[in-house]
Amino acid sequence: MGVGAGRVSESGVPSPGGAGRANSRPPSSMASCAEPSEPSAPLPAGVPPLEDFEVLDGVEDAEGEEEEEEEEEEEDDLSELPPLEDMGQPPVEEAEQPGALAREFLAAMEPEPAPAPAPEEWLDILGNGLLRKKTLVPGPPGSSRPVKGQVVTVHLQTSLENGTRVQEEPELVFTLGDCDVIQALDLSVPLMDVGETAMVTADSKYCYGPQGRSPYIPPHAALCLEVTLKTAVDGPDLEMLTGQERVALANRKRECGNAHYQRADFVLAANSYDLAIKAITSSAKVDMTFEEEAQLLQLKVKCLNNLAASQLKLDHYRAALRSCSLVLEHQPDNIKALFRKGKVLAQQGEYSEAIPILRAALKLEPSNKTIHAELSKLVKKHAAQRSTETALYRKMLGNPSRLPAKCPGKGAWSIPWKWLFGATAVALGGVALSVVIAARN
C-alpha cells in the first residue's frame, strides 16, 4: 500500500490504530493529499515524512493485535459490525476492494470551506509601502468622510519611529487638499470617518523631508502619526468674508507657503501663495475699511514676491516675471521685485534689460551686497556677450579688420556729397541773384 493511505490489514480494512491517528489530524494538513488511483500510489509530495512514519508505527502495532483477535474470533459473524468510525470493534474484511480504503479515508477527511480572509489591518495608501494607515478606533455608525475643500479639525500626536513623542496638537485646523499641512495628513485624513482614530506611518518624503523640523524632528525622519478626526465642515464663502477674516485666511496660507519654501518644496509653496492671493483678490460682498484694504494690499505684495521667488526656483521664468511686474504696478520702488525681475531677465539672457533694473534697485539700497554682486556679474557677462557678437559680425562680413584702411576724404560717398553741396550752393546763388535783379527793376 502507498504510505499516504495508511497500512491495511490482511483483510483489506485499515487497522484501528492507523485510522484513529489519521482522523485525529486537522483537515488543513490533508488538503495537499491526492486520492491514489492504485493501492501502490507513491507518497504525496505535500505530506511530511515524519508524520507518516508515526502513522506507520501505529499501524504495525495495531496489526499484531488484530491478528491475535482474528485467531480468537475467526468464527464470529463480522457482517453486522458498525461502520469504520467505531474503532472499538474489529474491522470488516474487504480484501477484494483494495482502493476502498483511500476513498473512505478521503471522503471522511474532505476539507471544510475556507473561512473568508480577514481584512488587512494596514491600508497601503499609495501602494508603495511608504504611507500606511491603520484604524485604531472606528468612527460611529453612519459617520461620513471629509472631502477636499472642507475644513477639518484633528487631534494629532506625532512620534518618531523609536516611539519618542515629539509633538501634540489637540486642535489642528486645516483645509483639506490645500497643502496646509504635511502630505501624510493631507492624503490620509480623507480616508477616515469623523470620530475615527487611526495610526499613520509615513516616510520622510511625506513629512518634513531632508530638512526636518528643528529642534524636534531630525532630517530624513519617518514619523508615526496618531490622528483623531473630530469635525469636518464646509469651507468659508470667500465673498462673505469680512476684511479681517480675509487677512487672517491669507496670512495662514502665506505662512504655510513659507514653511514649504523652507523645506525646499517649491511646488507646494507656490500653491499656498496662489491660494493666499486668491483669498485677497476674490470679489467681496462685505464692505471693508481703508485700513483693511491697505493691509490686504501689503499682504498681496508679500505673497506675489514670495510666489516669484518660488517660480524662480522652479525655472518658471515667464510666470516669475509676471509676478514681479504685478508687484511693481503697486509699488514701483519695491527692491525685492526689482531684484528678482532683473534676475529673471538675466536668466533669459536679456542682459541689456536686466542691468538698468538692477542699477535702479542698487540706487534705492546702495549698501545691498547681493544686488551689487549680481550687477557686477551681469556687467561682465554683458561685456563678454558683446565681444562674442562683435566677433561673429566680423566673421559674417568676411573679417573686415584685415582689409586696407581707406582715406576718410575719399570714401565711396565723398564725391556724391561734394557734388550735391556744390549744386545746392549754385542753386542758392542763382535764387539770390534773381531776387536782387527783381528788386532793382
Side-chain angles (χ1 to χ4, degrees):
M1 282 298 294
V3 178
R7 289 291 300 269
V8 182
S9 65
E10 294 177 357
S11 59
V13 183
S15 62
R21 288 179 180 268
N23 285 332
S24 65
R25 297 171 64 186
S28 60
S29 64
M30 300 303 299
S32 61
C33 295
E35 180 180 354
S37 59
E38 296 296 337
S40 59
L43 173 66
V47 179
L50 182 58
E51 294 182 359
D52 290 338
F53 292 156
E54 292 177 355
V55 172
L56 290 176
D57 292 341
V59 172
E60 289 176 358
D61 294 338
E63 229 177 354
E65 297 176 0
E66 285 181 3
E67 290 176 359
E68 294 177 359
E69 291 177 359
E70 287 177 0
E71 290 177 0
E72 295 175 357
E73 302 178 3
E74 57 186 355
E75 296 179 358
D76 295 343
D77 185 7
L78 303 178
S79 60
E80 300 298 331
L81 289 177
L84 182 63
E85 285 78 4
D86 188 358
M87 292 305 176
Q89 301 293 335
V92 181
E93 293 185 2
E94 290 183 3
E96 296 181 359
Q97 299 180 2
L101 168 66
R103 287 192 293 272
E104 292 178 7
F105 180 75
L106 293 177
M109 300 303 296
E110 283 187 10
E112 298 178 359
E120 298 217 0
E121 292 185 349
W122 286 97
L123 172 64
D124 192 349
I125 296 176
L126 300 177
N128 56 8
L130 301 180
L131 182 61
R132 302 187 302 156
K133 168 187 170 289
K134 177 182 178 181
T135 300
L136 301 180
V137 180
S143 57
S144 60
R145 292 186 173 182
V147 295
K148 183 178 179 180
Q150 286 190 316
V151 178
V152 298
T153 303
V154 301
H155 179 196
L156 176 64
Q157 298 180 18
T158 305
S159 304
L160 301 178
E161 282 186 309
N162 58 9
T164 304
R165 182 172 297 179
V166 294
Q167 187 180 10
E168 181 172 3
E169 298 186 57
E171 298 284 338
L172 176 62
V173 181
F174 62 94
T175 303
L176 203 58
D178 279 6
C179 305
D180 293 345
V181 290
I182 57 177
Q183 285 186 288
L185 279 178
D186 236 353
L187 295 173
S188 59
V189 170
L191 303 176
M192 298 176 60
D193 297 327
V194 176
E196 176 184 340
T197 300
M199 177 66 70
V200 178
T201 61
D203 185 74
S204 62
K205 67 185 294 185
Y206 303 111
C207 299
Y208 295 98
Q211 283 76 26
R213 187 177 184 181
S214 180
Y216 306 110
I217 300 176
H220 301 286
L223 298 179
C224 297
L225 311 174
E226 185 176 329
V227 188
T228 301
L229 179 56
K230 292 184 172 183
T231 60
V233 297
D234 293 335
D237 185 0
L238 296 180
E239 293 183 346
M240 301 305 296
L241 292 178
T242 64
Q244 289 303 318
E245 288 173 340
R246 283 177 182 268
V247 171
L249 177 59
N251 258 325
R252 286 200 302 270
K253 300 300 181 184
R254 183 180 63 86
E255 290 171 359
C256 291
N258 293 345
H260 292 310
Y261 190 92
Q262 290 172 359
R263 294 199 298 269
D265 199 338
F266 304 116
V267 174
L268 296 183
N271 179 74
S272 296
Y273 296 135
D274 271 330
L275 292 173
I277 295 170
K278 180 181 178 182
I280 295 170
T281 58
S282 61
S283 59
K285 295 182 179 180
V286 180
D287 294 334
M288 289 183 288
T289 64
F290 177 79
E291 291 77 9
E292 290 173 343
E293 291 180 352
Q295 278 184 304
L296 289 174
L297 180 59
Q298 287 294 116
L299 196 54
K300 180 183 177 181
V301 168
K302 289 181 181 179
C303 292
L304 284 171
N305 261 328
N306 294 348
L307 178 61
S310 301
Q311 292 164 339
L312 192 58
K313 290 289 186 180
L314 295 170
D315 297 337
H316 297 170
Y317 299 129
R318 294 181 63 183
L321 191 61
R322 184 168 58 251
S323 299
C324 293
S325 299
L326 289 174
V327 174
L328 295 174
E329 287 179 6
H330 298 293
Q331 296 179 357
D333 293 338
N334 189 288
I335 296 176
K336 289 184 178 180
L338 288 171
F339 173 73
R340 292 194 177 109
K341 185 175 182 178
K343 201 167 183 179
V344 169
L345 291 172
Q347 291 289 346
Q348 295 177 325
E350 304 291 341
Y351 300 125
S352 58
E353 296 182 29
I355 290 175
I357 293 175
L358 289 179
R359 282 176 176 166
L362 188 61
K363 185 177 180 180
L364 293 172
E365 193 173 337
S367 61
N368 194 312
K369 295 181 180 179
T370 303
I371 300 176
H372 191 276
E374 187 70 20
L375 180 60
S376 300
K377 184 172 63 175
L378 289 188
V379 169
K380 292 178 181 179
K381 286 185 177 181
H382 190 216
Q385 185 185 50
R386 293 183 63 181
S387 299
T388 303
E389 290 176 354
T390 302
L392 181 62
Y393 293 152
R394 287 179 177 177
K395 186 175 181 181
M396 291 173 62
L397 296 175
N399 200 359
S401 60
R402 296 185 180 181
L403 297 176
K406 296 181 179 180
C407 296
K410 297 182 179 181
W413 291 94
S414 59
I415 296 177
W417 278 108
K418 288 181 178 181
W419 281 105
L420 181 61
F421 179 75
T424 303
V426 170
L428 291 175
V431 171
L433 182 61
S434 299
V435 170
V436 172
I437 294 173
R440 289 180 178 181
N441 292 335

